[in-house]
Amino acid sequence: MNRVAARCTKVHSTSAPRLLLDSIRSNLSTVTELSSRRSQKKYQQRFVVPKKARHESIPQIRSEVLHFQQVTGTVVRILHNLDRTYRKGKDHNSKKLVHSLVESVRQAYVSGSLPWTSHATLHLLSYYKESGHLDEGLDFWKWLSRAEGMMLDPIYIGAAIELLAVCGVGLRYCEETYERTLAQQRDIGSQYYLTPGAILPDRSKALTTSGTSSGLLQGILSARLLYGNWQGSYLALDTVFALRPTQAGPRFLDAFVYERPIFEALAVFFMHCRGGNAVSKVTLTTILKLLKDFAKRASHYRLQLDLVGTMFRVVEAYIGAAGQLDLIHLNVLTSAFVNATPQIPIATPGGSTESQTSLQNTVMEVLVKLFALFHRHNASPTHVTFGDIISRAVSLGHINLAKVAFQDMLSLDMLPSESTAICMIKAAALLQDPELLKSAWACIRKTSMANPDHVPDARRWKSFAAAAASCSLETFFEEQMHSLPPESLWRIRSALTSVEKHAPEQLLPPRPTPQDFGIVNMDEFEDFCVGVRSSLEDACILQTAGFRNFREHPIDEPPILAWPELGKETWQRKLYDDLTMEQSSKDSRPSSVEGHNGFPNGVPEAMPDISNTGIPFNELRYANWKTINNLLVQAEAWERHAKALADTDIKDTGEQKTLPRKRDLNNTSAILYPISVQQFKAYQQDIENERVRSISEAEWRNRIIKLRNVDYEA
């Protein structure tokens, strides 16, 4: 590091930023040699400081940062990525070191030692928000806002607004910052097109806009969501999908996934995919886990099937937007699907009932198609996938299904985990299958051979003893016992002294009765599997074509999103034209947009009027406009129920929260908006009320105009 520093001091100042970046990279390049294989694959494009070098390299880098007079936003971006990498682990010392370096950069900015750049400021503000160092971030913002001669640059103001919202400064201040940034633009074009209800030059053409306007809208949208301004959030989203129906950033969707009920987030997700907008793998994982969690808590079986079916529709739409599936998506889908299979009586020992055979064939057909789809994405099932199928199948009584999955697992040279093998020991006992029992126990012994110090505990031997008795393999059991070391043999013998021959059913945990779970109609499950197979087949066929043509091959709306049309199609089309087309007031709209941050080269450029998903832009914008209307109505009804629950909490506790939830917007591990069964029943009742509601065209128009908060005269 000292040699690098010595060389850097001889370099002309114009080359300093490049050499500074090289010096950082040279100190962090040893990660490929010192980190684990997992880190090499997962973070191959990120910089991780090795343990041996971090204590001496980071102070040296800090010294260089303070002495170089020119530094690009690339350096701050590297530090930002370093923090994101460390935040996923438990290396707190490295987090502190990176934070110390970031603070050095900030102090150099404030003192004037380093030049001010918009992109570096963007990364600094984002770092403070994501890392949780809110006080330092707020101090940095205060310096930015009072710096003499500094204009509010839209490049970083979006990140600043998000930071301010998380800090709890109040929505009013965030809105004022947003409006002030728009007002400081050179012309009124940028301010106009970022205003809800702005009229586009041509609804059938795309506008080429930079990411600046998107970042600004992202900031104010997130702030409104954090403070519960759902109406303003959806109006901002409406602006995004009017300006960039095929280029909306993935973080717009993320905000609704974490801050709104899953049903609203799903509507935004399908709107996102309909235009071919990118959706991150992490966001897809979060949506699938939210649906899976809700399916577990479903109040009746039909709802559980609808929720699991929605998961497959979500994957189908994701692939249609050219998304790439991953192994975690396969595991979540497989787990939810097998868990949704109806529970049936255990077959007679050594045989199977007709219902079991039919059900097994149906489930296997779906799983085969599911595995084929993921194979196209280079995501084949692993021992974890098969283990989940086996454990859930055994617990639900689908013993033959578990046996087939176990045999397929062994044929693929996969070694099951010890817990999976124990499930198969129980299955062998229920089927009275000696060969299956021997195969399952052999897997446990292989695990022990891989770790000589590991001996299956007494609970495993108890299950093995009961299964051996059921399969008439007492001699085989004694042979396995005598293969143990003497000290382990005595311990296991002591634990088995009280073990009697168990009936096969006693090996399994108690299962819910039909009265507990609800009456299961096998025809319902068969119909459900038909729909799932259809989704998987369509996804396989259309995968080779990249984007799906949603105009020719639309995806049926999931039943849980079956919100009725708010008004007749003729009413909606007429109001849409009235609100989005200039008639007698063309002069009130800017006739041209002279160069500004929102539109490169001054004038919006016309792009092909067909999206990657085969939908003309005028049709796509109209469909998005209708979706936003539905979301506004749904959110209004949902907030009414939420307010009623909040009023109940205030009566009970006497407290009311006024600040938004302070959380990490990038945290995808927690379910942030749980939904109770009571809330969902109220949601379903709202759907039914809308379906039977009789409303005139004038009433409908007034309702939409009020929700959209626009000035309109018929």
Side-chain angles (χ1 to χ4, degrees):
M1 184 65 191
N2 292 332
R3 295 179 181 177
V4 174
R7 288 197 300 268
C8 289
T9 56
K10 298 179 182 180
V11 180
H12 193 269
S13 60
T14 57
S15 302
R18 180 71 251 178
L19 286 179
L20 174 60
L21 179 59
D22 291 341
S23 68
I24 293 176
R25 286 178 172 172
S26 66
N27 279 272
L28 304 181
S29 62
T30 52
V31 62
T32 305
E33 302 172 4
L34 300 179
S35 62
S36 64
R37 293 182 179 179
R38 179 185 63 81
S39 297
Q40 291 178 24
K41 293 179 180 179
K42 191 171 183 180
Y43 305 122
Q44 58 183 347
Q45 294 181 345
R46 295 185 177 183
F47 301 98
V48 183
V49 181
K51 291 183 177 179
K52 292 183 178 179
R54 64 172 58 113
H55 289 290
E56 58 182 355
S57 63
I58 289 187
Q60 292 290 342
I61 296 173
R62 180 193 298 116
S63 176
E64 292 183 13
V65 169
L66 292 175
H67 286 87
F68 285 120
Q69 295 302 308
Q70 292 185 3
V71 61
T72 65
T74 306
V75 174
V76 185
R77 177 173 55 82
I78 292 175
L79 298 176
H80 189 189
N81 290 336
L82 273 171
D83 174 72
R84 287 172 172 170
T85 301
Y86 286 136
R87 214 179 316 131
K88 296 180 179 180
K90 298 181 180 180
D91 194 344
H92 300 293
N93 291 330
S94 296
K95 296 177 186 177
K96 292 180 181 179
L97 288 170
V98 171
H99 178 63
S100 176
L101 181 56
V102 171
E103 283 298 287
S104 298
V105 173
R106 178 172 72 95
Q107 293 170 8
Y109 262 28
V110 174
S111 65
S113 300
L114 291 177
W116 176 87
T117 63
S118 297
H119 286 91
T121 303
L122 168 66
H123 283 288
L124 281 176
L125 291 168
S126 298
Y127 162 80
Y128 286 124
K129 173 181 67 69
E130 295 171 8
S131 65
H133 295 286
L134 303 182
D135 292 337
E136 293 92 332
L138 195 57
D139 290 340
F140 183 49
W141 165 254
K142 290 178 180 178
W143 173 79
L144 283 173
S145 60
R146 66 172 177 262
E148 292 186 7
M150 183 177 294
M151 291 186 62
L152 299 179
D153 195 330
I155 291 177
Y156 66 80
I157 288 299
I161 291 175
E162 285 191 53
L163 171 65
L164 293 171
V166 175
C167 288
V169 300
L171 181 58
R172 180 177 179 180
Y173 183 79
C174 295
E175 294 283 1
E176 290 175 352
T177 304
Y178 175 74
E179 295 294 339
R180 190 164 66 252
T181 304
L182 291 182
Q184 286 189 2
Q185 301 308 301
R186 293 181 180 180
D187 58 32
I188 63 174
S190 176
Q191 183 177 4
Y192 175 79
Y193 284 113
L194 295 185
T195 302
I199 297 177
L200 302 178
D202 189 342
R203 297 179 304 181
S204 64
K205 299 293 183 181
L207 292 177
T208 302
T209 63
S210 68
T212 300
S213 57
S214 292
L216 195 56
L217 284 168
Q218 171 66 48
I220 194 61
L221 185 149
S222 297
R224 291 170 180 172
L225 281 175
L226 284 169
Y227 278 96
N229 184 0
W230 53 270
Q231 186 177 16
S233 301
Y234 279 121
L235 292 179
L237 187 68
D238 182 60
T239 301
V240 172
F241 277 95
L243 290 175
R244 303 162 64 100
T246 62
Q247 298 175 356
R251 293 197 64 218
F252 287 104
L253 171 62
D254 296 346
F256 288 93
V257 169
Y258 297 119
E259 291 297 337
R260 295 302 301 170
I262 182 61
F263 310 107
E264 293 180 28
L266 281 173
V268 177
F269 170 83
F270 282 106
M271 180 169 63
H272 219 76
C273 294
R274 183 169 58 205
N277 295 284
V279 178
S280 71
K281 292 181 179 180
V282 174
T283 302
L284 176 64
T285 303
T286 304
I287 292 175
L288 293 177
K289 287 183 176 180
L290 284 166
L291 289 169
K292 177 187 172 184
D293 175 78
F294 194 28
K296 286 182 180 179
R297 300 181 287 113
S299 58
H300 54 88
Y301 187 61
R302 180 69 255 176
L303 175 58
Q304 183 185 19
L305 292 182
D306 287 343
L307 288 165
V308 176
T310 301
M311 295 173 66
F312 285 91
R313 298 277 178 84
V314 164
V315 169
E316 186 181 1
Y318 175 78
I319 294 175
Q324 291 296 312
L325 297 172
D326 212 344
L327 178 60
I328 188 173
H329 306 140
L330 173 61
N331 291 339
V332 175
L333 277 174
T334 302
S335 173
F337 173 71
V338 176
N339 200 50
T341 56
Q343 297 175 337
I344 55 178
I346 298 175
T348 56
S352 61
T353 64
E354 182 179 351
S355 60
Q356 273 189 319
T357 303
S358 174
L359 182 64
Q360 174 184 318
N361 293 337
T362 300
V363 173
M364 289 303 297
E365 287 178 6
V366 173
L367 291 177
V368 167
K369 291 185 181 297
L370 180 63
F371 292 166
L373 171 63
F374 275 81
H375 181 70
R376 293 171 176 262
H377 293 255
N378 299 318
S380 299
T382 64
H383 70 282
V384 176
T385 312
F386 282 105
D388 206 14
I389 294 173
I390 291 169
S391 62
R392 293 178 184 278
V394 171
S395 65
L396 293 172
H398 306 305
I399 310 302
N400 284 298
L401 174 61
K403 180 180 178 179
V404 172
F406 182 71
Q407 292 171 342
D408 289 344
M409 188 178 186
L410 296 181
S411 67
L412 294 172
D413 294 328
M414 295 181 185
L415 181 63
S417 66
E418 188 172 307
S419 60
T420 300
I422 289 297
C423 286
M424 290 314 304
I425 286 176
K426 296 177 180 180
L430 293 170
L431 294 174
Q432 294 186 355
D433 189 332
E435 294 303 320
L436 180 61
L437 177 59
K438 290 181 179 180
S439 297
W441 186 251
C443 293
I444 293 181
R445 299 299 293 173
K446 286 182 181 179
T447 303
S448 299
M449 292 174 61
N451 183 6
D453 298 329
H454 174 74
V455 176
D457 61 22
R459 292 176 300 174
R460 309 304 193 197
W461 283 94
K462 285 182 179 181
S463 298
F464 183 33
S470 178
C471 296
S472 301
L473 287 178
E474 289 87 348
T475 303
F476 177 72
F477 173 77
E478 289 297 329
E479 292 174 355
Q480 297 300 310
M481 285 287 292
H482 287 296
S483 67
L484 292 172
E487 62 276 6
S488 299
L489 178 61
W490 180 85
R491 178 172 57 85
I492 299 299
R493 285 286 188 195
S494 300
L496 293 177
T497 54
S498 60
V499 174
E500 299 178 356
K501 292 184 178 180
H502 291 71
E505 290 81 358
Q506 291 178 293
L507 295 171
L508 296 176
R511 290 178 290 151
T513 64
Q515 289 74 22
D516 295 330
F517 194 73
I519 301 300
V520 175
N521 186 344
M522 292 298 294
D523 292 337
E524 277 189 331
F525 184 74
E526 291 286 348
D527 293 341
F528 160 73
C529 288
V530 169
V532 170
R533 286 198 300 267
S534 177
S535 292
L536 294 174
E537 290 170 357
D538 289 346
C540 283
I541 294 173
L542 296 169
Q543 169 60 24
T544 57
F547 286 94
R548 175 175 182 151
N549 190 319
F550 282 103
R551 194 184 192 205
E552 296 180 0
H553 306 284
I555 294 179
D556 295 333
E557 191 175 54
I560 63 171
L561 295 181
W563 194 271
E565 287 287 343
L566 300 178
K568 295 180 180 180
E569 179 65 20
T570 54
W571 300 355
Q572 297 188 71
R573 187 73 213 190
K574 185 176 186 302
L575 181 59
Y576 174 71
D577 290 340
D578 290 346
L579 296 179
T580 60
M581 290 181 62
E582 277 292 356
Q583 295 177 350
S584 59
S585 57
K586 282 189 176 182
D587 294 337
S588 64
R589 175 168 59 91
S591 58
S592 64
V593 182
E594 299 177 0
H596 58 78
N597 290 326
F599 301 95
N601 303 323
V603 179
E605 299 176 1
M607 294 176 64
D609 60 354
I610 303 295
S611 69
N612 289 329
T613 53
I615 305 176
F617 271 72
N618 54 342
E619 294 182 16
L620 185 59
R621 285 190 170 109
Y622 175 55
N624 293 341
W625 182 84
K626 292 198 297 182
T627 300
I628 294 293
N629 289 343
N630 278 352
L631 284 167
L632 285 167
V633 173
Q634 292 180 47
E636 182 183 42
W638 188 269
E639 291 300 320
R640 183 170 60 251
H641 299 300
K643 185 178 183 302
L645 291 175
D647 291 341
T648 303
D649 292 338
I650 294 173
K651 290 180 181 179
D652 295 338
T653 63
E655 297 180 358
Q656 183 178 16
K657 294 181 179 180
T658 56
L659 291 179
R661 294 186 295 275
K662 293 186 178 181
R663 62 168 181 79
D664 181 3
L665 294 175
N666 297 301
N667 179 16
T668 59
S669 61
I671 295 176
L672 302 174
Y673 208 117
I675 300 174
S676 67
V677 175
Q678 178 185 359
Q679 287 175 307
F680 182 71
K681 287 182 178 178
Y683 172 82
Q684 289 182 310
Q685 186 60 49
D686 286 331
I687 293 179
E688 187 60 30
N689 293 340
E690 286 291 338
R691 184 173 287 110
V692 301
R693 182 177 181 178
S694 178
I695 187 173
S696 66
E697 180 179 3
E699 291 174 329
W700 174 82
R701 291 169 73 96
N702 291 334
R703 184 183 189 186
I704 299 301
I705 290 169
K706 180 181 178 181
L707 287 171
R708 284 185 165 272
N709 195 25
V710 294
D711 295 328
Y712 172 77
E713 294 183 4

